[in-house]
Amino acid sequence: MCAHTLINSFSIKIKFVVKTKKTTIQDIANYVNVSVGTVDRVIHNRGHVSTAKRKKIMEAIEILDFNPNFLASTLALGKQYRICSLLPRPSSTQGYWTLPKDGIEQTAADYKDYGITHHSFDYDPFEESSYSKKTLAVLEMQPDGVILAPLFEEESILFIKKLEEKKIPYIFIDAFIPNQKNLCYIGPDLKGSGYVAGKLMSSILNSQDDILILNLVKGLENSHLGIIEKGFREFFDSTNNKGSRKIKSITIPSIKKEDITIELTKYHIKNPGTKGVFVTNSRASLIAHYHFLHELPVKMIGFDMLQDNILEMKNGNIDFLISQRPYFQGAMAVKTLFHYFVYKKIPPKIQYVPLDIIIDQNLDYYINFKEPGTANLVQE
Amino acid sequence: MCAHTLINSFSIKIKFVVKTKKTTIQDIANYVNVSVGTVDRVIHNRGHVSTAKRKKIMEAIEILDFNPNFLASTLALGKQYRICSLLPRPSSTQGYWTLPKDGIEQTAADYKDYGITHHSFDYDPFEESSYSKKTLAVLEMQPDGVILAPLFEEESILFIKKLEEKKIPYIFIDAFIPNQKNLCYIGPDLKGSGYVAGKLMSSILNSQDDILILNLVKGLENSHLGIIEKGFREFFDSTNNKGSRKIKSITIPSIKKEDITIELTKYHIKNPGTKGVFVTNSRASLIAHYHFLHELPVKMIGFDMLQDNILEMKNGNIDFLISQRPYFQGAMAVKTLFHYFVYKKIPPKIQYVPLDIIIDQNLDYYINFKEPGTANLVQE
DNA sequence: AAAAAAAATGTGTGGGCACACAAATTTTGT
DNA sequence: ACAAAATTTGTGTGCCCACACATTTTTTTT
């Protein structure tokens, strides 16, 4: 048996010898003169193989560079993995939460042939009871893995407990609860995003310009805005970046135009030195519009590439947006679960996404950016 | 035959009916009472099917929501696709060109089971003859698709001609030659990156500060730096961003420390008002170091997250880096070719990558950023 | 109406792997 | 030394699809 029959190969013009096909378990079996069953047993550590042959087979695997064909493997196994996601209901068809959701759904669709099925659940981000109800619905599905954005901490911990009882792995995206047994967290480093905002703000203001940190919170919304503010302030405290400026923060517990107008007007009259406003969530567009209407030359930094923010940025009313790859967070969560299911691969506990800095001039590249072949390609 | 046997399903606590497995051609065949062969003929438009059955089958495909199992399909087809890439040889193990190369190689490895094989070729970016030689080597491999970074225009056009004769599709990454029959271009919008740099520079300088545009070019290197400079200047020209400042550009035809020191010193003495330097390629670190040594308080913008640039940024000597996702460019090129091979999917002719704005504060997130399961997972 | 030609339909194999089960081999017990 | 038990090894079927080839049915011809 010569090398040519062992390793399928052919040569092109003398120079190259190209291995065209992957080696299969059959190749290994032929090489060692055993049956594919024995090779299979070695590969999967199923035992029932004499040490002598075991050794020979393992050598052959090395020599012939065998890697199992993943396609054939999943096909033969025919396992099914059910993923459930539990995210806040988007405020509109273009709301922030559509993006992680799309990321999850499209990626799940991409992995359909690998046995991944996915079921979306959403909850009213202003109603804890809605959340609790949906957690039960998720559990009823008996998922193999869960992706969730835990806005409500208490209820989430109850939910998590139940998942742990049933040994269902779960991934936090966008936000997380510390000290839990989550498979991992995929999302922004909140403090870091405050730092980034701080740096950007300081780079476009003069050292004496005052800054307003604005928390626009409807109802009892998420507490993690505090961390962003902390990061923002820390940037100015840490180095000698503070200058002589004042940095104040206010919280407006509403996202209604009228409420905002009243509060902001009050503030700006009292603090005429304010030249920069940092909105700690994705609602910068509301403020930007206010500044535009009142012709206030104020620099603005906010979060997320939402339609409204994009518009205000193009109009020159927002200077920087920080984006945390919401689509990708969802996509990555699905991929991570998949690799966990299939390869038992444990991901890093914390996977911070890049904090993309968006300005008018690079905005379009982010908007038009599409990966090739995300789903919908299956039809001919 | 009841619904349960037609669509494999089971119910959980009355409420949900979950389709667990995908429907197969066998399901379709059973449904219409024909053999799988006939179904197959319809799916692939092979003809030889009576119109009556054809219609029925197509209906069944709709009703049962049939999508061919991509895994089984590729397994059965067993096609092999050979991709060759032709990139400049990296200047070091951490040189810029390692990144697109890694992107290509890792992605190709991911797609190994799908029949993708890949062969890397690199050329000396300072020697046209090296390039020509390597183009021949690529052709000898008889690839099914080519990924290339066409630094040398003339030689590239000759190469491309030959590829077209053999009907081998090719993708430009990082740089491109206009008006060719390339499958697509994946890379930065050069002019746009000039714009971005312009905006960033203007945002951190005072309106009277002078700016130097620096082209650090070894030998007859790429001409497209001119486009970046053009974009940069256009930004200042277009709006009222120019102020009273002077914007000059010089080209230093060397990357040797001594040469740079001489030229820069000459320049700074003549132009003491220079407060910002924009380096139009990835060699900003050289200049940053010079400024550091000479204690010049100059703002700096450059390209690419190379080790040296990262270091200078962390030391505070570079303010902004613009990164054009080099790894991703390679990864995307492979994916695009794959989808073209398999689905005959024609990608958009131009796919601009996002221009990431890197500052000290978000740098680490980009560095640590890894997709799950890029290759190397295959081993257990 | 029977034979020949054409069209429609069915069957079988292979792709690489996983796993259950059958067969062969070795070890143990008496 | 021989049966029984334990272990090792081989075989066959299925996963889903693609495609070549065999078979059946329909149409055409004389």
Side-chain angles (χ1 to χ4, degrees):
Chain A
M1 210 179 253
C2 73
H4 280 91
T5 58
L6 298 181
I7 303 175
N8 43 47
S9 61
F10 67 93
S11 55
I12 301 176
K13 301 202 178 178
I14 309 147
K15 247 180 166 174
F16 301 99
V17 173
V18 182
K19 222 175 64 185
T20 41
K21 281 184 183 174
K22 291 185 47 164
T23 80
T24 70
I25 52 170
Q26 188 65 61
D27 294 333
I28 303 289
N30 292 153
Y31 190 84
V32 190
N33 267 320
V34 293
S35 73
V36 289
T38 309
V39 176
D40 179 76
R41 253 160 259 145
V42 171
I43 290 169
H44 294 88
N45 273 315
R46 267 199 263 280
H48 302 282
V49 178
S50 67
T51 37
K53 291 205 170 158
R54 181 189 175 76
K55 199 184 154 202
K56 269 192 181 176
I57 289 172
M58 286 178 68
E59 279 172 12
I61 288 176
E62 275 301 310
I63 294 167
L64 301 188
D65 184 31
F66 169 78
N67 292 89
N69 183 321
F70 180 62
L71 272 58
S73 174
T74 46
L75 192 59
L77 276 168
K79 280 191 187 163
Q80 295 292 122
Y81 306 102
R82 185 177 308 168
I83 295 176
C84 288
S85 63
L86 181 56
L87 307 179
R89 187 162 24 255
S91 52
S92 73
T93 51
Q94 307 172 342
Y96 173 79
W97 290 103
T98 59
L99 299 168
K101 189 183 175 192
D102 285 354
I104 292 171
E105 287 182 348
Q106 296 210 21
T107 308
D110 281 345
Y111 284 87
K112 198 169 46 178
D113 290 340
Y114 297 93
I116 294 282
T117 54
H118 165 249
H119 304 270
S120 257
F121 293 86
D122 56 14
Y123 59 91
D124 183 339
F126 308 112
E127 272 229 60
E128 284 152 310
S129 66
S130 156
Y131 182 70
S132 300
K133 206 181 294 174
K134 291 304 179 76
T135 62
L136 294 178
V138 169
L139 285 167
E140 268 187 2
M141 290 293 289
Q142 301 185 277
D144 300 291
V146 171
I147 300 167
L148 79 156
L151 292 201
F152 300 115
E153 191 158 322
E154 269 183 54
E155 287 76 4
S156 291
I157 288 177
L158 286 175
F159 179 41
I160 284 169
K161 279 267 155 60
K162 287 179 201 159
L163 291 174
E164 283 169 8
E165 273 171 29
K166 300 192 174 193
K167 305 212 169 156
I168 301 170
Y170 55 96
I171 292 181
F172 292 138
I173 65 171
D174 203 86
F176 76 104
I177 302 172
N179 305 319
Q180 302 300 318
K181 288 177 185 161
N182 52 312
L183 187 58
C184 67
Y185 164 64
I186 299 169
D189 176 10
L190 292 178
K191 205 164 179 184
S193 65
Y195 258 81
V196 170
K199 169 71 180 193
L200 293 174
M201 189 62 96
S202 104
S203 75
I204 55 175
L205 291 185
N206 293 319
S207 58
Q208 70 279 9
D209 294 336
D210 293 339
I211 296 173
L212 167 62
I213 302 169
L214 202 44
N215 296 304
L216 274 177
V217 181
K218 177 174 160 191
L220 41 72
E221 261 181 312
N222 24 7
S223 55
H224 61 249
L225 297 185
I227 304 175
I228 296 176
E229 177 174 338
K230 202 173 164 194
F232 188 81
R233 287 182 178 278
E234 253 178 45
F235 171 81
F236 287 96
D237 291 341
S238 65
T239 51
N240 48 356
N241 287 303
K242 194 154 184 184
S244 58
R245 63 166 56 96
K246 281 182 295 186
I247 301 179
K248 291 190 183 179
S249 64
I250 61 172
T251 298
I252 300 180
S254 163
I255 56 169
K256 278 194 217 138
K257 220 175 186 174
E258 312 88 63
D259 296 340
I260 291 171
T261 302
I262 291 172
E263 293 298 322
L264 265 190
T265 306
K266 224 191 293 180
Y267 185 88
H268 276 300
I269 290 172
K270 270 194 199 161
N271 303 274
T274 305
K275 295 288 180 230
V277 174
F278 171 43
V279 179
T280 54
N281 62 17
S282 63
R283 300 196 177 110
S285 61
L286 299 172
I287 311 304
H289 194 65
Y290 170 91
H291 288 150
F292 169 71
L293 286 177
H294 296 74
E295 294 181 15
L296 287 168
V298 174
K299 300 286 184 184
M300 278 215 58
I301 297 179
F303 283 96
D304 303 323
M305 288 173 51
L306 303 186
Q307 207 64 53
D308 292 343
N309 287 339
I310 289 170
L311 220 69
E312 292 299 338
M313 173 163 267
K314 295 221 172 188
N315 289 337
N317 302 321
I318 294 179
D319 297 87
F320 289 104
L321 285 171
I322 298 169
S323 178
Q324 47 218 1
R325 307 223 178 159
Y327 179 95
F328 179 80
Q329 287 182 34
M332 181 144 170
V334 173
K335 283 186 197 173
T336 302
L337 276 179
F338 177 70
H339 282 105
Y340 178 72
F341 293 150
V342 175
Y343 302 109
K344 304 275 169 277
K345 205 202 169 197
I346 310 287
K349 183 90 189 239
I350 293 178
Q351 178 68 274
Y352 289 135
V353 294
L355 298 171
D356 294 320
I357 297 170
I358 313 295
I359 59 179
D360 188 12
Q361 284 73 20
N362 71 349
L363 179 53
D364 286 330
Y365 306 118
Y366 283 90
I367 294 174
N368 297 330
F369 180 61
K370 292 272 182 299
E371 284 227 25
T374 13
N376 73 27
L377 280 174
V378 187
Q379 17 264 3
E380 278 181 285
Chain B
M1 211 180 254
C2 73
H4 281 92
T5 58
L6 297 180
I7 303 174
N8 44 45
S9 60
F10 68 93
S11 54
I12 301 176
K13 301 202 180 179
I14 309 146
K15 247 179 164 173
F16 301 100
V17 174
V18 182
K19 221 174 65 183
T20 43
K21 282 184 184 173
K22 290 186 50 166
T23 81
T24 69
I25 51 171
Q26 186 65 60
D27 294 333
I28 304 289
N30 293 152
Y31 190 85
V32 190
N33 267 321
V34 292
S35 74
V36 290
T38 309
V39 177
D40 179 75
R41 255 161 255 143
V42 171
I43 290 169
H44 294 89
N45 275 313
R46 267 197 262 280
H48 302 282
V49 179
S50 68
T51 38
K53 291 207 170 158
R54 181 190 173 76
K55 199 182 154 203
K56 270 192 180 176
I57 289 172
M58 287 177 67
E59 279 171 11
I61 287 175
E62 276 300 312
I63 294 167
L64 301 188
D65 184 32
F66 169 79
N67 291 88
N69 183 320
F70 179 63
L71 271 58
S73 174
T74 45
L75 191 61
L77 279 167
K79 282 191 185 161
Q80 296 291 123
Y81 305 102
R82 184 175 310 166
I83 295 177
C84 289
S85 63
L86 182 54
L87 307 180
R89 185 161 30 251
S91 53
S92 74
T93 52
Q94 308 172 340
Y96 173 80
W97 290 103
T98 59
L99 298 168
K101 189 184 176 192
D102 286 354
I104 291 171
E105 287 182 347
Q106 295 212 20
T107 308
D110 282 344
Y111 284 88
K112 198 170 45 179
D113 289 339
Y114 296 92
I116 295 281
T117 54
H118 165 249
H119 303 269
S120 256
F121 293 86
D122 55 14
Y123 58 91
D124 183 339
F126 309 111
E127 273 230 60
E128 283 152 309
S129 66
S130 156
Y131 182 70
S132 300
K133 207 181 293 174
K134 290 306 177 77
T135 62
L136 294 178
V138 169
L139 286 167
E140 268 188 1
M141 290 292 290
Q142 301 183 276
D144 301 290
V146 171
I147 300 168
L148 78 156
L151 293 201
F152 301 114
E153 190 157 323
E154 268 184 54
E155 286 77 4
S156 292
I157 288 177
L158 287 174
F159 179 40
I160 284 169
K161 279 266 154 61
K162 288 180 201 157
L163 290 175
E164 283 168 8
E165 272 170 28
K166 300 192 175 194
K167 305 212 170 156
I168 300 170
Y170 55 96
I171 292 181
F172 291 139
I173 65 171
D174 203 86
F176 76 104
I177 302 171
N179 305 320
Q180 303 300 319
K181 288 177 186 160
N182 52 312
L183 186 59
C184 68
Y185 164 64
I186 299 169
D189 177 9
L190 291 178
K191 206 164 179 186
S193 65
Y195 258 82
V196 170
K199 168 71 180 194
L200 293 175
M201 189 63 97
S202 104
S203 75
I204 54 174
L205 290 185
N206 293 318
S207 58
Q208 70 280 8
D209 294 337
D210 293 340
I211 296 172
L212 167 62
I213 302 168
L214 202 44
N215 296 304
L216 274 177
V217 181
K218 177 175 160 190
L220 40 74
E221 263 181 308
N222 24 7
S223 55
H224 61 249
L225 297 185
I227 303 174
I228 297 177
E229 176 173 340
K230 204 172 164 194
F232 188 80
R233 288 182 177 277
E234 254 177 45
F235 171 80
F236 287 96
D237 292 341
S238 65
T239 52
N240 48 354
N241 287 303
K242 194 154 184 185
S244 58
R245 64 165 56 96
K246 280 183 295 186
I247 301 178
K248 290 191 181 177
S249 64
I250 61 173
T251 297
I252 301 180
S254 162
I255 55 168
K256 277 195 220 139
K257 219 174 187 176
E258 311 87 64
D259 296 340
I260 290 172
T261 301
I262 292 172
E263 291 298 322
L264 266 189
T265 305
K266 222 190 298 179
Y267 185 87
H268 276 299
I269 290 171
K270 270 194 200 158
N271 303 274
T274 304
K275 296 289 180 227
V277 173
F278 171 43
V279 179
T280 54
N281 62 16
S282 62
R283 301 195 177 111
S285 62
L286 299 171
I287 312 303
H289 193 65
Y290 170 91
H291 288 150
F292 168 71
L293 285 177
H294 297 73
E295 295 182 13
L296 287 169
V298 174
K299 300 285 184 187
M300 279 215 56
I301 297 179
F303 284 96
D304 303 325
M305 287 172 51
L306 303 186
Q307 208 64 54
D308 292 344
N309 287 339
I310 289 171
L311 220 68
E312 292 299 337
M313 172 162 269
K314 295 222 171 188
N315 291 335
N317 302 323
I318 294 179
D319 296 87
F320 289 104
L321 285 171
I322 298 169
S323 178
Q324 46 218 1
R325 307 224 177 158
Y327 179 95
F328 179 81
Q329 287 182 36
M332 182 145 167
V334 174
K335 284 186 195 173
T336 302
L337 276 178
F338 177 70
H339 282 107
Y340 178 73
F341 293 150
V342 175
Y343 302 109
K344 305 274 170 278
K345 206 204 168 197
I346 310 287
K349 183 92 189 236
I350 293 179
Q351 177 68 275
Y352 289 136
V353 293
L355 299 171
D356 294 319
I357 298 170
I358 313 294
I359 59 179
D360 189 11
Q361 284 73 20
N362 71 350
L363 179 53
D364 286 330
Y365 305 117
Y366 283 91
I367 294 174
N368 297 329
F369 180 62
K370 290 273 180 299
E371 284 227 23
T374 12
N376 72 28
L377 281 174
V378 187
Q379 15 263 6
E380 277 182 282

